[in-house]
Amino acid sequence: MLVYLDQNHASRMAKHLLGQRGHEAFGRLFQALRGKALAPPSPFHVLETLHPQRGPKEKAGYLLPALQEVFAALSGGLWVRPWQEVALRQERGLYREDFLHRGGSWETPADLSPFQGLPEALRGLPYREAQALALEEVRKRAGLKEVPFARLLAHLLAKMASDPGRKPRPSDLLDAVMAATVYPYVDLLLTDRYLRNLLPEKSVGGRRKEVEALVGRLQGE
């Protein structure tokens, strides 16, 4: 089973390994995944660890050794390729060998610069208008055909931008690019409640009840 741990899940596993209290459910999830799932790190983890996208609450770099321990146990030495490589390779179809490789590094973060300013340009537009503009911009800025990455990224950015009751977050662009990269390939995406609701088919949120239910499923297999 191929699983993607978003930064919240991975960092809470790391905090459990560091002995911090309040993350016990994620510690149990870490143990349940070992030997039953492949969960590789990605350039998005590097970006969020070295350059946190979720506000000034904390510097996450101190977690790096524990994050490396988490992924050393779960990744089998594999990494998610940079989104640029994944998206370009989709022109020939969806194959996991185009998604994973052994060439990743904790010194190479994801580059979101091609899409900077796009969430702001879409804000307040109706969904269909935002989606069409987002798809056009994603293809143009990244030099892509209408591959699954481009379609899913446009959908997610349009949903975020057209939701009148939601306050934009600094991490929205990263979350959308991450999900557009990994979701077509994984069996499970472990993410936050908002992305879980946008991608409900194979996503699990980070609430304690959801995490404990997933642990039960894994232990029962």
Side-chain angles (χ1 to χ4, degrees):
M1 178 168 58
L2 182 58
V3 176
Y4 188 84
L5 310 175
D6 80 349
Q7 185 71 0
N8 178 62
H9 284 74
S11 64
R12 294 192 71 179
M13 290 179 186
K15 289 174 181 179
H16 176 75
L17 293 182
L18 290 174
Q20 297 184 22
R21 300 178 68 177
H23 310 289
E24 291 80 10
F26 291 86
R28 291 191 289 273
L29 178 58
F30 173 61
Q31 294 300 330
L33 288 170
R34 297 185 70 168
K36 291 196 173 183
L38 184 69
S42 77
F44 302 111
H45 293 116
V46 181
L47 179 60
E48 290 215 79
T49 301
L50 302 181
H51 307 284
Q53 305 287 300
R54 301 177 187 277
K57 292 182 180 179
E58 65 178 17
K59 293 295 184 181
Y62 81 96
L63 283 177
L64 181 57
L67 281 171
Q68 290 172 327
E69 182 178 348
V70 167
F71 286 113
L74 299 178
S75 69
L78 293 169
W79 278 74
V80 174
R81 292 179 185 272
W83 66 262
Q84 297 93 326
E85 294 184 21
V86 174
L88 284 173
R89 288 164 182 256
Q90 286 180 354
E91 293 181 8
R92 72 185 189 100
L94 294 175
Y95 302 97
R96 281 186 174 171
E97 60 264 33
D98 293 337
F99 176 62
L100 299 174
H101 70 156
R102 295 188 179 273
S105 167
W106 285 100
E107 297 180 356
T108 308
D111 178 12
L112 305 181
S113 61
F115 306 124
Q116 291 298 333
L118 184 53
E120 292 76 14
L122 303 174
R123 195 165 298 155
L125 296 176
Y127 169 76
R128 290 190 181 279
E129 186 177 343
Q131 190 272 340
L133 177 58
L135 182 57
E136 178 185 356
E137 287 294 316
V138 167
R139 292 183 60 193
K140 180 172 66 176
R141 295 183 186 200
L144 295 173
K145 296 181 180 178
E146 195 172 321
V147 293
F149 168 86
R151 291 194 296 269
L152 184 51
L153 179 55
H155 166 70
L156 294 172
L157 289 174
K159 279 290 189 181
M160 292 174 175
S162 61
D163 184 348
R166 181 177 182 271
K167 183 178 179 180
R169 301 184 303 180
S171 63
D172 280 348
L173 179 59
L174 185 147
D175 289 343
V177 178
M178 175 276 291
T181 303
V182 309
Y183 192 74
Y185 299 92
V186 298
D187 298 302
L188 280 179
L189 169 61
L190 308 189
T191 187
D192 63 20
R193 180 175 57 175
Y194 185 70
L195 274 181
R196 186 272 319 272
N197 289 338
L198 291 181
L199 299 167
E201 184 178 338
K202 50 184 179 179
S203 297
V204 177
R207 289 188 169 185
R208 181 176 175 179
K209 287 185 178 180
E210 291 180 84
V211 173
E212 290 179 342
L214 178 57
V215 170
R217 284 169 51 191
L218 292 167
Q219 291 177 337
E221 291 179 353

